[in-house]
């Protein structure tokens, strides 16, 4: 079972993604958060418990206070503590090519997806992780 964590400060994004997930019967375990800092702490606390770690994170870049870039910086430091692979998909409304280029500095970032997340992209992502 693939565990998905969605981090985005916009509750509408959570609602849209959850409805697409529900309508496609995708990702049986989904967690939602609007606070990237809280999620870094949760990942740190649960770093040795594979069943409490997500397999996949959908991360918004532009959030107040603790943004997606700060999350990625701290997440990179946590990876050596994990006993499993946790991939990140950046899901952003940014059209700045520098954001896309900058995301390439993080090998655990598997994709940069423009909002809104399409049903096809969500389905393809699910199939990639459910087959693993």
């Amino acid at each position: 079972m693939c565990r998905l964590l969605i981090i985005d400060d916009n509750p509408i994004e959570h609602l849209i993604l959850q409805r697409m997930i529900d309508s496609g019967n995708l990702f049986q375990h989904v967690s939602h958060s609007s606070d990237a800092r809280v999620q870094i702490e949760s990942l740190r606390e649960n770093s040795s418990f594979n069943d409490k770690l997500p397999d996949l994170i959908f991360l918004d870049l532009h959030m107040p206070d603790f943004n997606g870039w700060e999350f990625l910086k701290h997440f990179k430091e946590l990876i050596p503590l994990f006993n499993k692979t946790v991939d990140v998909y950046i899901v952003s409304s940014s059209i700045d090519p520098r954001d896309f280029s900058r995301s390439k500095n993080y090998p655990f970032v598997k994709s940069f997806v423009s909002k809104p997340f399409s049903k096809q992209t969500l389905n393809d992502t699910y199939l990639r992780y459910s087959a693993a």
Side-chain angles (χ1 to χ4, degrees):
M1 174 171 59
C2 183
R3 301 171 71 84
L4 170 64
L5 170 61
I6 301 169
I7 305 172
D8 195 309
D9 64 316
N10 184 347
I12 298 299
E13 295 294 335
H14 290 275
L15 180 63
I16 291 168
L17 272 170
Q18 190 61 54
R19 287 209 173 149
M20 287 193 301
I21 289 166
D22 291 345
S23 71
N25 198 26
L26 311 172
F27 299 107
Q28 279 63 50
H29 190 275
V30 181
S31 300
H32 297 268
S33 181
S34 60
D35 192 329
R37 184 187 321 263
V38 167
Q39 290 310 307
I40 284 293
E41 289 310 312
S42 177
L43 291 166
R44 185 182 326 278
E45 289 170 11
N46 294 300
S47 63
S48 59
F49 303 104
N50 286 352
D51 62 328
K52 293 189 178 192
L53 293 174
D55 298 292
L56 181 60
I57 298 171
F58 291 167
L59 176 68
D60 183 25
L61 287 180
H62 302 288
M63 296 180 282
D65 301 321
F66 195 88
N67 65 36
W69 297 118
E70 291 170 288
F71 177 90
L72 292 172
K73 182 180 76 170
H74 290 277
F75 185 80
K76 183 178 182 177
E77 296 169 2
L78 293 177
I79 288 178
L81 303 175
F82 300 160
N83 291 321
K84 71 184 247 183
T85 300
V86 179
D87 293 332
V88 175
Y89 279 54
I90 293 175
V91 182
S92 180
S93 57
S94 175
I95 57 170
D96 187 341
R98 292 174 295 181
D99 283 341
F100 180 77
S101 294
R102 186 175 173 191
S103 73
K104 298 274 187 198
N105 293 325
Y106 299 95
F108 51 84
V109 172
K110 298 305 177 193
S111 188
F112 192 106
V113 180
S114 295
K115 288 181 182 178
F117 215 110
S118 74
K119 285 184 181 183
Q120 186 61 52
T121 302
L122 184 62
N123 191 54
D124 291 347
T125 303
Y126 171 74
L127 289 174
R128 187 173 307 120
Y129 285 88
S130 65

